[in-house]
Amino acid sequence: MKRPSLSNISGSSAFTLIELMAVMTIIGLLVAMTVPLFSSVSEANSISAGSQIVVDQVSQARQMAAARNVPIEVRFVLQPSRLPGNPASYSNVYNAVQLWRTDPAGGASQPAAKLVPLPNGIVIAVGSTAPYLSPPLASTATPAPLSGTLSFGGTSLNYVGFEIRPAGLIPTMLDQGLGNSYVSIVPLRYSTKTSNDLKGTTRSVSNFALVQINPFTASARIYQP
């Protein structure tokens, strides 16, 4: 019986150039399909983490207000140094949270806790012209929210926010009603100044979270699609 030669065996088991190109094309397609999925999951996890930070800070403020019998301010702070590119290209976004204690004697408020940043790329969007924005924090809200500047590391930072009374009441949210007393957390990419930004209605925000805050008890819970 004649045995097959070594050259015949190696020739029949080797891949052709066309087969290799086909395999590489399939791998490329799989990678292209997988990367957006991982990116979306990662972004959703960051939104969840940012939402939890807001809930934790609101809960801590509620506890502080009750324990110290003084109003506690929840301030959403803008740190431009943590935004990519030109900070002027972003509008009505805040990327950190800090609690401040109101002076019962009428003096200036003082920090009650450290500044807590949100995950990179995640912000609190403020406004009132789209369902993904935070109505009680908008400049057009009635009554007006807390707003101003605070000093952090020698830098003046803008903020908006609300005050929690010792009994749990949030005066600036009471008139908004339970349905509109929320804070929205969205990816920063939705907040750039373009014709399709959050201030318009042509962009659909698929990745976001709402932290609904009860204006009578200052309890907070997360809604994330």
Side-chain angles (χ1 to χ4, degrees):
M1 181 177 180
K2 185 179 179 181
R3 292 184 177 182
S5 66
L6 182 61
S7 60
N8 289 337
I9 295 175
S10 61
S12 61
S13 62
F15 287 105
T16 66
L17 179 59
I18 295 178
E19 290 172 332
L20 287 174
M21 291 180 64
V23 171
M24 292 177 65
T25 300
I26 293 173
I27 292 175
L29 290 174
L30 290 175
V31 170
M33 294 171 61
T34 304
V35 169
L37 176 61
F38 279 119
S39 177
S40 179
V41 171
S42 176
E43 185 177 79
N45 289 338
S46 294
I47 292 173
S48 296
S51 303
Q52 192 60 53
I53 287 173
V54 173
V55 169
D56 291 344
Q57 291 299 300
V58 171
S59 299
Q60 184 178 350
R62 173 68 182 91
Q63 295 170 8
M64 281 186 179
R68 302 181 184 183
N69 197 32
V70 295
I72 297 294
E73 299 174 358
V74 179
R75 297 185 177 185
F76 302 113
V77 185
L78 173 60
Q79 285 187 290
S81 61
R82 297 182 58 245
L83 298 179
N86 182 7
S89 64
Y90 303 99
S91 176
N92 297 325
V93 296
Y94 300 85
N95 55 358
V97 189
Q98 188 174 29
L99 306 183
W100 284 62
R101 179 178 59 84
T102 300
D103 184 358
S109 299
Q110 298 294 327
K114 294 182 179 180
L115 187 73
V116 181
L118 269 62
N120 288 331
I122 304 301
V123 296
I124 294 165
V126 173
S128 58
T129 57
Y132 313 104
L133 302 182
S134 306
L137 301 177
S139 59
T140 56
T142 304
L146 295 175
S147 63
T149 60
L150 59 84
S151 179
F152 179 79
T155 304
S156 182
L157 304 178
N158 295 328
Y159 74 88
V160 295
F162 54 86
E163 178 185 86
I164 298 178
R165 300 286 175 82
L169 296 177
I170 305 177
T172 56
M173 287 189 179
L174 288 175
D175 290 343
Q176 299 289 328
L178 287 173
N180 291 319
S181 298
Y182 61 83
V183 174
S184 59
I185 294 87
V186 301
L188 179 64
R189 60 190 176 89
Y190 286 129
S191 304
T192 54
K193 286 184 176 180
T194 67
S195 59
N196 294 327
D197 67 3
L198 283 173
K199 293 174 293 183
T201 58
T202 57
R203 171 171 291 188
S204 175
V205 180
S206 58
N207 234 355
F208 68 97
L210 301 179
V211 175
Q212 187 180 41
I213 303 172
N214 189 315
F216 297 97
T217 63
S219 60
R221 55 182 176 176
I222 301 171
Y223 293 96
Q224 185 172 359

